[in-house]
Amino acid sequence: MTDPKTDRVTIPGLWEKKSAGERITVLTAYDFPTARILDEAGIDVLLVGDSLGMVVLGYENTLPVTMEDMIHHTKAVARAARRALVVGDMPYFSFHLTKEETIANASRFIKEAGAQAVKIEGASRKRLGLVESLVEAEIPVMGHVGLTPQSIARLGRFRVQGAEAEAARRVLDEARNLERVGAFAVVLESVPRELAKVITAELRVPTIGIGAGPHCDGQVLVFHDLVGYSDGYLPKFVKKYADLQGVIRRAVEAYAADVRKGVFPGDAQSYHMKPGALASLRSRRGRTRRV
Ligand code: KIV
């Protein structure tokens, strides 16, 4: 649902969707042209995820991504979004020091980059305090529990979280706590579908699943995975709707072959001089460089 005056997706609009049983669509976006397509296609939320470190900047994980990277890409996405809600992902170590630094970093997404909200991974006691402070400072926060990729050093590898009862209880508590301190939605990443169903039924705010089964209030995927434009391993939960890598590779190979054969550019891609201009140029060639 959108604000009827501006036609923009709003946070209360997302809550209404949950109440109405209408699914919320979320995709990651990192640049202007892609964000424009996703916005025009009616995607509700554009998440400028720190996954950009892996799918756009070529890092092995999300840890090296900086605030400057995130602000730069969020600005491009926000410039493109006419309807979608834009959420900026707070990168590793942008919310791990003091409360004041966290608020200052989060506010940059809103004031400088044009996002409407931020996302923060995790729900430790300290993290919950930070979320509360951000909400108090009028910065809407999307929570993120289950698999939190910024915890890769502690987790060892990306794997399902909450398959055992005790771990499931922990994820459920974290989601509940995020709602209690004011998160407007909670991402559930790589959790069993049964657990996501329980959390979705318990929470008043929407759950947005990625690798969390079909019962969440909304779904998010990394755009590059969805369109087949990412490199290497794809998690089980990804459904590839296109083969953009193949399309691009074939186009580039055809271009290179045309250049090598001298058939690109052809006449259709070339400019022409005005009638008589070439003859006049040639008649003066003693005074000018030979053409
Ligand atoms: O960084 C990201 O893209 C994310 C989503 C996968 C939820 O956090």
Side-chain angles (χ1 to χ4, degrees):
M1 276 160 219
T2 49
D3 179 326
K5 282 206 206 89
T6 60
D7 205 29
R8 282 209 81 121
V9 176
T10 61
I11 290 169
L14 298 179
W15 295 337
E16 282 173 41
K17 272 184 184 271
K18 171 155 182 149
S19 307
E22 230 185 280
R23 293 280 156 84
I24 298 165
T25 55
V26 185
L27 278 176
T28 66
Y30 317 102
D31 62 66
F32 183 92
T34 311
R36 182 50 60 82
I37 294 170
L38 305 188
D39 188 67
E40 287 176 355
I43 296 298
D44 297 313
V45 179
L46 302 183
L47 170 65
V48 189
D50 65 350
S51 50
L52 88 88
M54 298 171 78
V55 296
V56 175
L57 302 179
Y59 294 127
E60 202 177 311
N61 56 47
T62 59
L63 303 188
V65 176
T66 65
M67 270 302 293
E68 298 318 312
D69 294 332
M70 292 308 303
I71 295 296
H72 178 74
H73 287 267
T74 305
K75 279 182 179 175
V77 170
R79 280 195 287 266
R82 296 190 177 122
R83 174 186 171 276
L85 187 90
V86 176
V87 178
D89 206 4
M90 294 199 62
Y92 180 61
F93 249 79
S94 65
F95 55 95
H96 300 68
L97 299 169
T98 66
K99 183 170 97 180
E100 289 68 29
E101 279 164 313
T102 301
I103 294 176
N105 282 330
S107 70
R108 289 188 64 197
F109 280 96
I110 313 290
K111 284 173 76 83
E112 228 178 280
Q116 283 84 49
V118 298
K119 178 171 82 58
I120 288 193
E121 289 187 14
S124 64
R125 191 191 300 263
K126 182 176 174 208
R127 207 65 50 85
L128 293 169
L130 291 174
V131 172
E132 198 161 27
S133 304
L134 291 173
V135 174
E136 175 65 28
E138 310 290 357
I139 301 173
V141 179
M142 179 181 267
H144 183 159
V145 297
L147 175 64
T148 48
Q150 291 174 14
S151 315
I152 181 67
R154 176 172 55 79
L155 297 174
R157 66 186 171 90
F158 294 155
R159 62 175 152 197
V160 177
Q161 304 291 306
E164 309 286 340
E166 198 184 319
R169 199 164 304 115
R170 201 165 43 243
V171 178
L172 172 60
D173 283 346
E174 289 176 347
R176 279 190 188 131
N177 287 337
L178 281 165
E179 174 175 89
R180 181 175 51 76
V181 296
F184 73 88
V186 180
V187 170
L188 305 178
E189 179 163 354
S190 296
V191 302
R193 55 187 283 168
E194 299 83 0
L195 173 59
K197 188 175 182 186
V198 171
I199 298 174
T200 302
E202 277 236 359
L203 262 50
R204 279 171 291 107
V205 299
T207 57
I208 308 295
I210 175 163
H215 302 295
C216 297
D217 299 303
Q219 296 290 332
V220 58
L221 277 180
V222 168
F223 170 77
H224 288 58
D225 294 344
L226 167 93
V227 296
Y229 193 25
S230 48
D231 232 20
Y233 167 78
L234 275 190
K236 166 190 165 85
F237 58 74
V238 171
K239 183 169 172 187
K240 213 168 119 177
Y241 286 82
D243 174 28
L244 227 56
Q245 274 196 342
V247 170
I248 294 172
R249 187 171 294 122
R250 283 190 291 279
V252 169
E253 283 169 359
Y255 160 78
D258 279 359
V259 169
R260 289 183 192 116
K261 280 188 273 177
V263 299
F264 175 83
D267 195 53
Q269 295 89 29
S270 302
Y271 298 107
H272 289 277
M273 293 177 78
K274 295 243 163 66
L278 181 59
S280 160
L281 179 74
R282 281 187 172 139
S283 73
R284 292 191 213 160
R285 75 181 162 201
R287 280 178 279 137
T288 60
R289 195 161 59 86
R290 191 182 169 92
V291 182

